[in-house]
């Protein structure tokens, strides 16, 4: 598919643009170049905004960083807060948190994963899966889901609510709270707080099981089509625990190739720069990471729920592990590569999060008050977590005066940059090639992107929306087709 | 049947946190959709803002697209509300105003750790950045400001209820905070 990244003679081609991609977090657009016979020559997903966090956090005191950088993203602020907190632990010389602080950090992260996965599946993607990719645009949203399937819509709202409540209890606020401090956590969980969460947890586990079933049934209902849609094969990267278990908070880096063979395993993440580089391309603000040993052509990989299912040896909670086994059986002995299988994997992780939250709530260590560990300060810190969307890297170097000198962030979505581009190319060549443009057709491309749950807010630290306007011009620049979405969402030939 | 109030929302140079806080009204969302209908928002596939009663803007203004979208909202929304710290004063993204834009770009794409093929993205498909990040009221007139990073779900709910019922908007002191 790589030949579709850059056309040989772009000056003679027609340009189609989808701007913006919607029902994803953040701002991206897709451009497609075709010849006069509508053969596709180039497809690109562009990330078009830029923030500059790496620069403007220079000179800030290092202990401020977890609170500052979580403003990268209001959807997964906890992931940034915790990756930065882990880096700050390392700067503080703390290698091992107290058991209570470790439990609280983990529960905070699981609450984040639960709410983010619920948001993405129910609020953003379920309309495509429940109504079909070509459903009417005014209906194809969470409001439509609540009206047509109130049971599903309300469960989605309540699952997200519970995840947010876990975050609120531990960090003080649902969005941009504070919890992590150098070497530990800033507050104990009280018994009433714990009991309040315990009251609802069994219901949440039950609803998460329902959600796995919805995602699984939707995928299997039209299995051949869903497997083929946006199908790519790739390397997979994630963190795993020492014993190979799925672990969203801590572990070593594991990479497998498309056939499932190990590329590297249990790599100490402090050495990530020996294994990964990021390529800059002139047409996107989002960089393109790759595994150094494989080179930039072959070394791109996928992260997130699909990669984690494929990479881990087991999930350490029983209900989610049973679902993982069903999921992997679908790969018939190999890895599962279908883009749309991400939804199914994501719901299995939501179930795991609910189960693991319960275990932590029932662990008496969680409500103890030994929150801080101490160590000898160093000048560099690296923190990695498995954020909802994939492996998240935070790396800071500080001066002797305790201020940030240098920072490097590889956010989860950036890791999937090449993969999303490849998936979009696959869908464009299969469904767009030589076809009359329709709104539903355009949504096919967006469905492929949505499978990856990209957070373009994280990736560029920016957002923005433009009207959707697609035009097809011939090689002389003459417009031959044009589609516009008006304010009611209807698609027509012009704005009038 | 009374016509529903039409609401549009967007996030410019923000983090989506204000939108998340809006969704944190939880089950009240079911009550809200009895009273309002949504125009362009990140959760619908409506891509341009049409005539609306209320527009909610999250985020500051950092590039030419943000300017375009903000003007589109001002032209179409009877009441325009700046929601959250970034819309108010640029917020965290405006920390880059202390530096030259060129230095910010070079740090990310040339001098960063582990960069292959260093260059500053310059394709025509990549839109123009403004040299500074601006609050929204420097670009269009704003009718209401709702503070917070983000404003709490309660503050957003109270604000919308009072705005929609035509009351004077009074937020309790505890709801007016800036972190």
């Amino acid at each position: 598919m790589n030949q579709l990244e850059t056309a040989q003679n772009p000056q003679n081609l027609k340009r189609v643009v989808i701007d913006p991609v919607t029902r994803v977090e953040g701002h991206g657009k897709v451009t497609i170049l075709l010849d006069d016979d509508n053969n596709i020559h180039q497809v690109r997903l562009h990330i078009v905004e830029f923030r500059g966090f790496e620069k403007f956090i220079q000179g800030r005191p290092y202990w401020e960083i977890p609170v500052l950088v979580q403003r990268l993203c209001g959807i997964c602020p906890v992931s940034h807060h915790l990756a930065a907190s882990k880096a700050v632990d390392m700067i503080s010389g703390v290698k091992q948190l107290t058991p209570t602080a470790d439990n609280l950090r983990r529960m905070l992260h699981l609450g984040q994963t639960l709410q983010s996965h619920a948001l993405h599946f129910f609020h953003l993607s379920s309309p495509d899966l429940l109504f079909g990719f070509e459903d009417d645009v005014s209906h194809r949203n969470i409001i439509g889901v609540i009206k047509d399937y109130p049971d599903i819509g309300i469960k989605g709202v309540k699952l997200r609510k519970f995840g947010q409540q876990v975050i609120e209890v531990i960090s003080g606020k649902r969005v941009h709270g504070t919890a992590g401090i150098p070497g530990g956590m800033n507050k104990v969980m009280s018994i009433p707080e714990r009991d309040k969460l315990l009251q609802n947890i069994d219901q949440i586990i039950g609803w998460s099981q329902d959600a796995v079933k919805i995602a699984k049934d939707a995928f299997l209902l039209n299995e051949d089509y869903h497997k083929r849609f946006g199908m790519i094969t790739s390397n997979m990267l994630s963190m795993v625990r020492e014993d190979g278990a799925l672990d969203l908070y801590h572990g070593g880096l594991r990479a497998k190739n498309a056939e499932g063979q190990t590329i590297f395993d249990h790599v100490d993440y402090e050495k990530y720069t020996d294994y990964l580089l990021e390529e800059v391309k002139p047409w996107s603000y989002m960089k393109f990471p790759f595994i150094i040993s494989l080179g930039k052509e072959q070394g791109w990989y996928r992260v997130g729920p699909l990669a984690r299912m494929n990479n881990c040896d087991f999930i350490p909670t029983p209900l989610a592990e049973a679902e993982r086994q069903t999921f992997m059986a679908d790969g018939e002995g190999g890895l599962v590569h279908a883009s749309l299988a991400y939804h199914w994997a994501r719901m299995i992780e939501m179930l795991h999060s609910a189960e693991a939250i319960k275990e932590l709530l029932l662990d008496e260590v969680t409500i103890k008050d030994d929150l801080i560990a101490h160590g000898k300060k160093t000048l560099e810190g690296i923190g990695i977590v498995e954020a909802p969307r994939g492996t998240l890297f935070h790396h800071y170097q500080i001066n002797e005066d305790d201020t940030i000198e240098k920072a490097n962030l590889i956010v989860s979505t950036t890791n999937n940059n090449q993969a999303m581009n490849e998936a979009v190319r696959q869908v464009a060549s299969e469904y767009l090639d030589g076809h009359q443009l329709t709104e539903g057709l355009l949504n096919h491309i967006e469905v492929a992107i949505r499978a990856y749950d990209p957070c373009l807010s994280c990736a560029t630290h920016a957002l923005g929306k433009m009207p959707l306007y697609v035009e097809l011009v011939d090689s002389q620049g003459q417009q031959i087709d044009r589609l516009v979405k008006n304010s009611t969402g209807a698609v027509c030939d012009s704005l009038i | 049947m009374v016509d529903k109030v039409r609401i549009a929302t967007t996030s410019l140079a923000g983090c989506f946190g204000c939108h998340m806080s809006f969704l944190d009204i939880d089950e009240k969302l079911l009550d809200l959709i009895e009273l309002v209908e949504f125009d362009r928002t990140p959760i619908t596939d409506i891509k341009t803002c049409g005539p609306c009663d209320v527009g909610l803007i999250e985020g500051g203004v950092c590039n030419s697209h943000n300017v375009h979208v903000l003007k589109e909202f001002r032209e179409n929304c009877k009441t325009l509300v700046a929601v959250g710290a970034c819309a108010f004063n640029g917020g965290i993204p405006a920390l880059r105003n202390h530096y030259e834009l060129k230095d910010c770009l070079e740090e990310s794409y040339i001098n960063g750790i582990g960069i292959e093929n260093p260059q500053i993205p310059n394709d025509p498909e990549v839109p123009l950045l403004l040299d500074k990040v601006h609050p929204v009221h420097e670009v269009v007139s704003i009718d209401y400001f709702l503070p917070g990073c983000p404003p709490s779900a309660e503050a957003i709910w109270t604000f919308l209820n009072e705005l929609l019922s035509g009351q004077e908007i009074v937020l309790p002191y505890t709801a007016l905070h800036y972190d």
Side-chain angles (χ1 to χ4, degrees), chain A residues 458-478:
Chain A
C458 278
T460 67
H461 333 324
L463 296 158
K465 292 280 186 283
M466 292 288 287
L468 179 66
Y469 176 90
V470 177
E471 66 176 1
L472 197 54
V473 289
D474 66 18
S475 48
Q476 271 71 52
Q478 203 70 29

Side-chain angles (χ1 to χ4, degrees), chain B residues 5-72:
Chain B
V5 172
R6 199 165 175 87
I7 295 184
T9 78
T10 191
S11 186
L12 306 175
C15 73
F16 246 108
C18 295
H19 276 80
M20 289 304 103
S21 203
F22 191 173
L23 288 180
D24 281 338
I25 64 174
D26 300 329
E27 296 94 330
K28 295 196 200 84
L29 188 60
L30 309 180
D31 302 331
L32 189 69
I33 60 178
E34 296 302 316
L35 303 173
V36 308
E37 56 188 8
F38 288 102
D39 193 85
R40 171 186 175 155
T41 88
I43 59 164
T44 64
D45 283 347
I46 299 173
K47 315 266 183 172
T48 56
C49 179
C52 281
D53 299 291
V54 182
L56 305 178
I57 306 285
E58 169 189 338
V61 181
C62 81
N63 67 23
S64 54
H65 278 177
N66 296 155
V67 175
H68 174 89
V69 173
L70 184 55
K71 287 184 170 170
E72 175 192 304

Side-chain angles (χ1 to χ4, degrees), chain A residues 348-381:
Chain A
I348 295 172
E349 286 193 342
M350 186 169 78
L351 174 58
H352 163 67
S353 300
E355 288 183 281
I357 287 170
K358 182 176 180 182
E359 286 178 4
L360 289 167
L361 286 169
L362 292 174
D363 184 351
E364 289 297 317
V365 168
T366 303
I367 52 167
K368 304 282 189 223
D369 60 3
D370 184 14
L371 296 179
I372 314 276
H374 299 278
K376 191 170 181 306
K377 202 181 81 187
T378 62
L379 297 179
E380 187 162 26

Side-chain angles (χ1 to χ4, degrees), chain A residues 196-211:
Chain A
K196 189 182 155 208
L197 294 174
L198 264 178
Q199 251 175 19
N200 297 318
I201 189 65
D202 288 324
Q203 180 69 78
I204 295 300
I205 291 171
W207 286 339
S208 298
Q209 287 180 284
D210 297 344

Side-chain angles (χ1 to χ4, degrees), chain A residues 15 19-27 29 31 44 46 48-56 58 60 68 71-75 119 123-124 137 140-143 146-147 154 157-158 160-161 164 173-176 272-273 277-285 287 290 296 395 397 406 408 443 446 450 457 462-468 485-489, chain B residues 4 6 10-21 23-27 29-30 33-34 38-51 58 62-63 65-66 68-69 72 92-96 98-101 103-105 107-129 149-150 153 177 179:
Chain A
R15 171 179 176 273
D19 188 0
V21 178
T22 49
R23 281 187 289 127
V24 298
E25 299 92 0
H27 184 210
K29 71 175 179 183
T31 58
R44 290 173 171 177
H46 308 262
V48 292
E49 297 207 29
F50 169 77
R51 279 281 187 278
F53 265 79
E54 283 103 335
K55 183 68 190 177
F56 67 63
Q58 290 175 1
R60 313 293 307 191
L68 201 160
R71 266 79 178 177
L72 283 160
C73 180
I75 299 148
L119 170 81
H123 296 67
L124 301 179
V137 70
R140 200 174 60 214
N141 55 52
I142 180 66
I143 313 297
I146 289 172
K147 288 189 171 147
I154 290 162
V157 167
K158 289 186 172 176
R160 179 180 176 279
K161 175 185 177 181
Q164 290 289 77
K173 279 166 67 181
R174 285 177 165 212
V175 181
H176 299 326
Y272 80 98
T273 53
L277 283 176
E278 292 181 276
E279 186 188 8
V280 183
K281 297 186 183 182
W283 47 270
S284 183
Y285 279 126
K287 288 176 251 190
F290 62 92
K296 57 190 174 191
H395 181 182
Q397 294 162 350
K406 190 100 184 153
N408 187 38
N443 190 45
E446 297 182 77
R450 268 176 221 131
S457 174
L463 296 158
K465 292 280 186 283
M466 292 288 287
L468 179 66
K485 276 189 190 175
N486 67 21
S487 59
T488 62
Chain B
K4 288 185 174 178
R6 199 165 175 87
T10 191
S11 186
L12 306 175
C15 73
F16 246 108
C18 295
H19 276 80
M20 289 304 103
S21 203
L23 288 180
D24 281 338
I25 64 174
D26 300 329
E27 296 94 330
L29 188 60
L30 309 180
I33 60 178
E34 296 302 316
F38 288 102
D39 193 85
R40 171 186 175 155
T41 88
I43 59 164
T44 64
D45 283 347
I46 299 173
K47 315 266 183 172
T48 56
C49 179
E58 169 189 338
C62 81
N63 67 23
H65 278 177
N66 296 155
H68 174 89
V69 173
E72 175 192 304
I92 295 283
L95 285 176
R96 86 157 155 88
H98 298 294
Y99 295 92
E100 294 293 323
L101 177 58
D103 293 341
C104 294
L105 288 164
E107 186 66 25
S108 291
Y109 299 106
I110 307 239
N111 304 321
I113 294 167
I115 300 286
E116 173 84 2
N117 210 5
Q119 58 185 312
I120 293 174
N122 63 352
D123 192 270
E125 298 288 359
V126 177
L128 210 56
L129 291 159
C149 183
H177 56 79
D179 74 326

Side-chain angles (χ1 to χ4, degrees), chain A residues 329-444:
Chain A
D330 208 57
E332 292 163 3
L335 302 188
V336 176
H337 282 285
S339 289
L340 288 178
Y342 260 98
H343 295 295
W344 182 3
R346 196 170 286 121
M347 291 300 94
I348 295 172
E349 286 193 342
M350 186 169 78
L351 174 58
H352 163 67
S353 300
E355 288 183 281
I357 287 170
K358 182 176 180 182
E359 286 178 4
L360 289 167
L361 286 169
L362 292 174
D363 184 351
E364 289 297 317
V365 168
T366 303
I367 52 167
K368 304 282 189 223
D369 60 3
D370 184 14
L371 296 179
I372 314 276
H374 299 278
K376 191 170 181 306
K377 202 181 81 187
T378 62
L379 297 179
E380 187 162 26
I382 295 170
I384 297 185
V385 296
E386 283 294 331
R389 292 158 187 81
T391 320
L392 170 65
F393 302 72
H394 280 222
H395 181 182
Y396 305 100
Q397 294 162 350
I398 65 165
N399 286 318
E400 291 293 345
D401 67 358
D402 289 343
T403 61
I404 301 291
E405 181 174 271
K406 190 100 184 153
N408 187 38
L409 308 169
I410 308 178
V411 301
S412 315
T413 295
T414 301
N415 293 294
N416 277 335
N417 196 356
Q418 186 68 25
M420 289 189 292
N421 270 282
E422 295 291 335
V424 164
R425 279 165 206 153
Q426 196 271 354
V427 168
S429 47
E430 182 150 356
Y431 300 98
L432 203 79
D433 216 21
H435 285 71
Q436 178 81 15
L437 295 176
T438 64
E439 195 280 333
L441 179 66
L442 300 175
N443 190 45
H444 279 62

Side-chain angles (χ1 to χ4, degrees), chain A residues 297-337:
Chain A
E297 293 301 322
Q298 304 299 324
W300 61 274
Y301 53 87
R302 283 186 281 184
V303 298
L306 182 74
R308 292 190 289 246
M309 287 300 121
N310 280 313
N311 271 7
C312 76
D313 300 330
F314 65 99
I315 297 179
T317 54
L319 298 175
E321 170 59 11
E323 294 293 348
R324 186 195 70 87
Q325 288 180 12
T326 310
F327 179 88
M328 290 310 295
D330 208 57
E332 292 163 3
L335 302 188
V336 176
H337 282 285

